[in-house]
Amino acid sequence: MLGIISKSIAVVIVIASLFCSAYAFASDEEDTISAIEKTQQDLRNAQARQGMINSSKEASKASEQVKAITGNSANEQELYNLAADVLGNMKGLTSEQLEQVIKQAQKDPEGFLKTWSPEQRKKLEGLAERVPAASKGKRP
Protein backbone atom coordinates (compact mmCIF):
# COMPACT_ATOMS: atom_id res chain seq x y z
CA MET A 1 0.00 0.00 0.00
CA LEU A 2 2.95 2.34 0.59
CA GLY A 3 3.63 2.27 -3.16
CA ILE A 4 0.07 3.39 -3.90
CA ILE A 5 0.38 6.18 -1.34
CA SER A 6 3.68 7.29 -2.89
CA LYS A 7 2.13 7.24 -6.37
CA SER A 8 -0.86 9.17 -5.11
CA ILE A 9 1.38 11.77 -3.49
CA ALA A 10 3.28 12.06 -6.75
CA VAL A 11 0.05 12.55 -8.66
CA VAL A 12 -1.09 15.22 -6.19
CA ILE A 13 2.22 17.02 -6.70
CA VAL A 14 1.90 16.79 -10.48
CA ILE A 15 -1.69 18.00 -10.40
CA ALA A 16 -0.90 20.91 -8.11
CA SER A 17 2.12 22.01 -10.09
CA LEU A 18 0.43 21.69 -13.48
CA PHE A 19 -2.74 23.45 -12.53
CA CYS A 20 -0.87 26.16 -10.63
CA SER A 21 1.29 26.81 -13.66
CA ALA A 22 -1.86 27.44 -15.67
CA TYR A 23 -2.13 30.75 -13.88
CA ALA A 24 0.53 33.41 -14.05
CA PHE A 25 1.54 34.15 -10.50
CA ALA A 26 2.05 37.77 -9.65
CA SER A 27 4.75 38.79 -7.26
CA ASP A 28 2.45 39.79 -4.44
CA GLU A 29 0.85 37.45 -1.93
CA GLU A 30 -2.73 38.50 -2.72
CA ASP A 31 -2.41 37.52 -6.39
CA THR A 32 -0.79 34.23 -5.45
CA ILE A 33 -3.63 33.44 -3.05
CA SER A 34 -6.11 34.29 -5.81
CA ALA A 35 -4.35 31.95 -8.23
CA ILE A 36 -4.31 29.14 -5.67
CA GLU A 37 -8.00 29.62 -4.93
CA LYS A 38 -8.84 29.61 -8.66
CA THR A 39 -6.78 26.45 -9.10
CA GLN A 40 -8.57 24.81 -6.17
CA GLN A 41 -11.94 25.65 -7.73
CA ASP A 42 -10.86 24.25 -11.08
CA LEU A 43 -9.56 21.04 -9.52
CA ARG A 44 -12.89 20.48 -7.79
CA ASN A 45 -15.04 21.35 -10.83
CA ALA A 46 -15.03 18.62 -13.48
CA GLN A 47 -16.00 20.95 -16.33
CA ALA A 48 -13.35 23.59 -15.53
CA ARG A 49 -10.78 20.85 -14.97
CA GLN A 50 -11.58 19.27 -18.33
CA GLY A 51 -11.04 22.61 -20.05
CA MET A 52 -7.58 22.82 -18.51
CA ILE A 53 -6.84 19.20 -19.42
CA ASN A 54 -7.86 19.84 -23.03
CA SER A 55 -5.63 22.90 -23.30
CA SER A 56 -2.43 21.41 -21.87
CA LYS A 57 -0.46 18.35 -22.88
CA GLU A 58 1.05 18.15 -19.38
CA ALA A 59 -2.37 18.41 -17.72
CA SER A 60 -3.63 15.70 -20.05
CA LYS A 61 -0.78 13.42 -18.95
CA ALA A 62 -1.55 14.15 -15.28
CA SER A 63 -5.21 13.34 -15.93
CA GLU A 64 -4.25 9.99 -17.47
CA GLN A 65 -2.12 9.20 -14.39
CA VAL A 66 -5.06 10.01 -12.14
CA LYS A 67 -7.36 7.76 -14.16
CA ALA A 68 -4.83 4.91 -14.15
CA ILE A 69 -4.40 5.07 -10.38
CA THR A 70 -7.97 5.73 -9.28
CA GLY A 71 -9.95 3.31 -11.43
CA ASN A 72 -13.28 5.15 -11.32
CA SER A 73 -14.74 8.62 -11.45
CA ALA A 74 -15.58 8.80 -7.73
CA ASN A 75 -11.99 8.02 -6.71
CA GLU A 76 -10.74 10.35 -9.44
CA GLN A 77 -12.82 13.24 -8.09
CA GLU A 78 -11.67 12.44 -4.56
CA LEU A 79 -8.02 12.65 -5.63
CA TYR A 80 -8.63 16.00 -7.33
CA ASN A 81 -10.42 17.24 -4.20
CA LEU A 82 -7.47 16.10 -2.08
CA ALA A 83 -5.05 17.87 -4.42
CA ALA A 84 -7.12 21.03 -4.03
CA ASP A 85 -7.07 20.67 -0.24
CA VAL A 86 -3.31 20.14 -0.17
CA LEU A 87 -2.80 23.11 -2.45
CA GLY A 88 -4.68 25.17 0.13
CA ASN A 89 -1.87 24.41 2.58
CA MET A 90 0.31 26.64 0.43
CA LYS A 91 -1.74 29.81 0.75
CA GLY A 92 0.39 32.62 2.03
CA LEU A 93 3.47 31.51 0.13
CA THR A 94 4.97 33.68 -2.55
CA SER A 95 5.07 32.24 -6.06
CA GLU A 96 8.80 31.58 -5.60
CA GLN A 97 8.16 29.74 -2.33
CA LEU A 98 5.36 27.75 -3.94
CA GLU A 99 7.64 26.69 -6.79
CA GLN A 100 10.28 25.69 -4.25
CA VAL A 101 7.78 23.60 -2.24
CA ILE A 102 6.68 21.80 -5.40
CA LYS A 103 10.27 21.13 -6.49
CA GLN A 104 11.15 19.82 -3.02
CA ALA A 105 7.98 17.70 -2.96
CA GLN A 106 9.00 16.11 -6.26
CA LYS A 107 12.36 15.19 -4.76
CA ASP A 108 10.95 14.01 -1.42
CA PRO A 109 7.26 13.01 -1.64
CA GLU A 110 7.36 11.33 1.77
CA GLY A 111 8.64 14.56 3.34
CA PHE A 112 5.89 16.45 1.53
CA LEU A 113 3.32 14.09 3.00
CA LYS A 114 4.53 15.04 6.48
CA THR A 115 3.43 18.64 5.82
CA TRP A 116 -0.18 17.53 5.30
CA SER A 117 -2.78 17.71 8.03
CA PRO A 118 -3.74 14.44 9.74
CA GLU A 119 -7.12 14.67 8.00
CA GLN A 120 -5.46 14.98 4.57
CA ARG A 121 -3.19 11.99 5.26
CA LYS A 122 -6.20 9.98 6.41
CA LYS A 123 -8.05 10.86 3.16
CA LEU A 124 -5.05 9.69 1.13
CA GLU A 125 -4.81 6.44 3.05
CA GLY A 126 -8.54 5.80 2.61
CA LEU A 127 -8.30 6.52 -1.09
CA ALA A 128 -5.22 4.32 -1.43
CA GLU A 129 -7.15 1.41 0.09
CA ARG A 130 -9.99 1.80 -2.44
CA VAL A 131 -8.06 2.22 -5.67
CA PRO A 132 -7.75 -0.85 -7.91
CA ALA A 133 -3.95 -0.82 -7.90
CA ALA A 134 -4.00 -1.32 -4.11
CA SER A 135 -5.69 -4.70 -4.48
CA LYS A 136 -3.35 -6.04 -7.16
CA GLY A 137 -0.71 -7.06 -4.64
CA LYS A 138 -3.21 -8.61 -2.23
CA ARG A 139 -4.12 -12.26 -2.24
CA PRO A 140 -7.77 -13.31 -2.19
Side-chain angles (χ1 to χ4, degrees):
M1 187 165 79
L2 185 59
I4 296 301
I5 291 175
S6 293
K7 285 181 183 179
S8 297
I9 293 169
V11 169
V12 167
I13 294 166
V14 169
I15 292 167
S17 63
L18 288 174
F19 285 94
C20 278
S21 68
Y23 299 98
F25 288 108
S27 58
D28 73 20
E29 184 178 328
E30 189 174 314
D31 286 344
T32 302
I33 289 171
S34 257
I36 288 173
E37 288 173 351
K38 173 69 172 132
T39 302
Q40 287 178 293
Q41 290 170 4
D42 288 351
L43 286 170
R44 290 184 175 115
N45 180 294
Q47 188 174 5
R49 188 174 60 239
Q50 191 59 50
M52 294 179 75
I53 290 167
N54 291 342
S55 67
S56 165
K57 188 175 183 178
E58 291 82 11
S60 180
K61 287 180 185 178
S63 173
E64 290 304 314
Q65 284 182 291
V66 169
K67 286 179 184 183
I69 289 174
T70 59
N72 66 50
S73 60
N75 289 341
E76 183 178 340
Q77 184 61 51
E78 189 172 342
L79 185 58
Y80 282 115
N81 289 341
L82 179 58
D85 288 346
V86 170
L87 185 57
N89 296 350
M90 299 177 204
K91 286 183 183 175
L93 299 179
T94 65
S95 58
E96 293 82 17
Q97 290 170 324
L98 181 57
E99 288 177 36
Q100 198 59 27
V101 166
I102 292 171
K103 285 179 186 176
Q104 182 60 34
Q106 291 169 333
K107 291 178 188 175
D108 182 15
E110 300 290 328
F112 181 58
L113 178 63
K114 291 176 184 176
T115 68
W116 295 17
S117 72
E119 180 181 273
Q120 291 167 336
R121 288 192 297 265
K122 187 174 181 175
K123 285 180 183 179
L124 178 61
E125 289 171 8
L127 180 61
E129 289 175 3
R130 288 189 305 280
V131 296
S135 61
K136 286 183 182 176
K138 294 181 182 176
R139 294 181 186 186

